[in-house]
């Protein structure tokens, strides 16, 4: 019964299909990108272990959010697994500890530099979990809250690089190509965070802050589109990504995002708002697909 409860939790709060597709593409881009710069060979089994470690890392972040949002979810989302009693807070604590242990074991297969870089990402994620010990200050500021949390993706990027190229966190951080890639990933996950909390007027809920309720539809969309522009800019500055396939592909992707954004702004319809939010999530997937195709066809 307990195992079944976790399966239900995963289905509801960490959809296996969508998350695994995104994480698989995320890891694949790192692998192909690293091979372009460093003459590496890593056995397939170790690449699968890396993938497992990254899945565990993101699943742990989901557990963080369940704990942080528990009190609020009791009021506004009583249908979610914790508020309705499917699992308890102690189960989340157990899950978090297990994930951290397994992440460290996964990264230990590639030595001290990989573990050290991962520990940096884990420590930052724990600061996120504690809301940087300034919960009352940071929570009301939706944008600041989001960007301070999504930066963990950049730290995970450096952890993956250390796993793949055996270099230290600082060595990878000082490599311009790797740094720009980490920054691009940060911007991409901002798109997801900003986009998923943008709604049509009829979807807004009382006393629940969203980007559309705080800034209006136009500024909320501008916030997302600015992250798309910046991530594309950083990507174009990375040597292995300076191919016509990638440049044209990302240009077309920006136009696609612009189309969904304009339709949402102009109509303010629930359907178009849902499509816009979906596009904000799919954007990351398509971005990585374009990079993968570009690297494989060089």
């Amino acid at each position: 019964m307990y195992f079944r409860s976790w399966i239900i939790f995963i289905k509801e709060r960490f959809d296996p299909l969508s998350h695994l597709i995104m994480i698989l593409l995320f890891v694949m881009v790192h692998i192909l990108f690293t091979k372009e710069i460093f003459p590496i060979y890593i056995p397939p089994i170790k690449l699968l272990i890396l993938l497992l470690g990254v899945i565990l890392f993101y699943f742990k972040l989901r557990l963080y959010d369940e704990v942080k949002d528990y009190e609020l979810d009791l009021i506004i989302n009583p249908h979610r697994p914790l508020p309705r009693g499917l699992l308890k807070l102690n189960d989340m604590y157990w899950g978090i500890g297990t994930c951290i242990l397994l992440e460290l074991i996964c990264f230990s297969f590639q030595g001290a530099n990989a573990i050290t870089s991962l520990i940096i990402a884990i420590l930052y994620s724990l600061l996120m979990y504690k809301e940087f010990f300034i919960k009352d200050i940071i929570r009301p500021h939706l944008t600041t809250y989001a960007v301070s949390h999504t930066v963990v993706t950049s730290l995970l990027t450096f952890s993956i690089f250390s796993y793949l190229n055996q270099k230290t966190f600082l060595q990878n951080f000082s490599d311009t190509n790797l740094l720009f890639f980490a920054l691009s990933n940060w911007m991409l996950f901002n798109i997801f965070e900003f986009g998923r909390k943008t709604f049509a007027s009829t979807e807004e809920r009382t006393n629940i802050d969203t980007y559309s309720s705080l800034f209006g539809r136009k500024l909320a969309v501008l916030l997302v589109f600015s992250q798309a522009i910046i991530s594309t800019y950083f990507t174009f500055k990375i040597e292995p990504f300076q191919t016509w396939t990638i440049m044209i592909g990302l240009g077309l992707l920006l136009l696609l995002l612009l189309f969904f954004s304009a339709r949402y702004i102009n109509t303010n319809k629930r359907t178009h708002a849902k499509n816009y939010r979906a596009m904000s999530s799919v954007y990351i997937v398509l971005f990585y697909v374009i990079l993968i195709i570009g690297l494989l066809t060089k």
Side-chain angles (χ1 to χ4, degrees):
M1 183 64 182
Y2 184 65
F3 179 75
R4 183 172 176 272
S5 295
W6 273 104
I7 295 298
I8 295 172
F9 173 85
I10 291 171
K11 286 181 178 179
E12 292 185 14
R13 304 298 294 148
F14 195 77
D15 177 58
L17 180 61
S18 61
H19 282 86
L20 290 180
I21 289 173
M22 188 277 290
I23 294 172
L24 176 61
L25 293 172
F26 180 74
V27 172
M28 282 181 63
V29 171
H30 284 74
I31 294 170
L32 295 173
F33 177 62
T34 305
K35 286 184 176 181
E36 281 289 317
I37 301 175
F38 304 99
I40 63 167
Y41 171 76
I42 298 178
I45 185 63
K46 287 192 175 182
L47 296 180
L48 289 175
I49 291 171
L50 170 63
L51 177 62
L52 175 60
V54 175
I55 292 171
L56 288 166
F57 189 92
Y58 278 111
F59 182 64
K60 175 193 66 194
L61 298 185
R62 176 71 269 159
L63 300 183
Y64 286 170
D65 287 342
E66 295 300 308
V67 175
K68 289 190 296 180
D69 296 340
Y70 177 66
E71 296 296 332
L72 184 61
D73 282 343
L74 286 173
I75 301 170
I76 66 171
N77 294 307
H79 60 283
R80 287 183 176 176
L82 261 66
R84 73 172 191 260
L86 179 69
L87 291 169
K88 302 182 183 301
L89 283 175
N90 282 339
D91 298 318
M92 298 296 103
Y93 301 142
W94 177 87
I96 289 168
T98 302
C99 284
I100 290 175
L101 175 61
L102 293 176
E103 290 164 34
L104 291 169
I105 291 173
C106 287
F107 275 71
S108 70
F109 282 87
Q110 285 295 90
N113 288 339
I115 294 177
T116 302
S117 294
L118 179 66
I119 287 173
I120 293 172
I122 289 173
L123 290 176
Y124 188 88
S125 77
L126 289 170
L127 283 175
M128 289 165 43
Y129 169 61
K130 300 302 294 183
E131 296 177 307
F132 305 99
F133 300 100
I134 52 171
K135 175 181 177 179
D136 293 338
I137 296 175
I138 197 172
R139 273 228 167 190
H141 301 282
L142 197 61
T143 307
T144 303
Y145 191 92
V147 298
S148 65
H149 282 59
T150 51
V151 72
V152 76
T153 297
S154 292
L155 298 177
L156 179 59
T157 285
F158 287 118
S159 302
I160 295 172
F161 284 144
S162 291
Y163 185 99
L164 294 170
N165 64 21
Q166 303 287 285
K167 294 183 180 294
T168 66
F169 180 92
L170 288 177
Q171 285 175 319
N172 286 324
F173 187 85
S174 62
D175 187 309
T176 303
N177 283 319
L178 304 190
L179 177 60
F180 281 142
F181 187 60
L183 292 173
S184 177
N185 285 332
W186 182 17
M187 299 302 111
L188 285 173
F189 280 80
N190 285 340
I191 292 171
F192 170 75
E193 284 297 317
F194 297 157
R196 74 188 182 94
K197 293 183 179 179
T198 303
F199 300 91
S201 299
T202 56
E203 296 178 292
E204 302 284 7
R205 292 191 288 177
T206 306
N207 298 324
I208 304 297
D209 286 339
T210 65
Y211 293 100
S212 44
S213 68
L214 290 173
F215 306 131
R217 297 193 307 279
K218 290 182 180 179
L219 285 181
V221 163
L222 182 61
L223 189 61
V224 167
F225 204 73
S226 69
Q227 302 306 292
I229 292 290
I230 295 170
S231 67
T232 302
Y233 169 76
F234 282 137
T235 302
F236 285 172
K237 291 181 71 67
I238 299 169
E239 292 178 14
F241 294 147
Q242 292 172 354
T243 71
W244 284 111
T245 301
I246 290 175
M247 296 175 77
I248 293 173
L250 294 185
L252 293 174
L253 184 58
L254 281 174
L255 291 176
L256 187 62
L257 177 62
L258 183 61
F259 168 77
F260 280 94
S261 301
R263 192 168 62 165
Y264 156 66
I265 290 174
N266 291 329
T267 65
N268 193 26
K269 291 183 178 179
R270 182 186 296 261
T271 301
H272 292 164
K274 288 182 177 180
N275 290 339
Y276 169 76
R277 290 195 297 274
M279 181 60 200
S280 299
S281 300
V282 172
Y283 187 91
I284 301 175
V285 172
L286 295 178
F287 196 98
Y288 289 141
V289 167
I290 290 168
L291 296 186
I292 290 170
I293 292 173
L295 291 174
L296 290 175
T297 57
K298 285 186 70 173

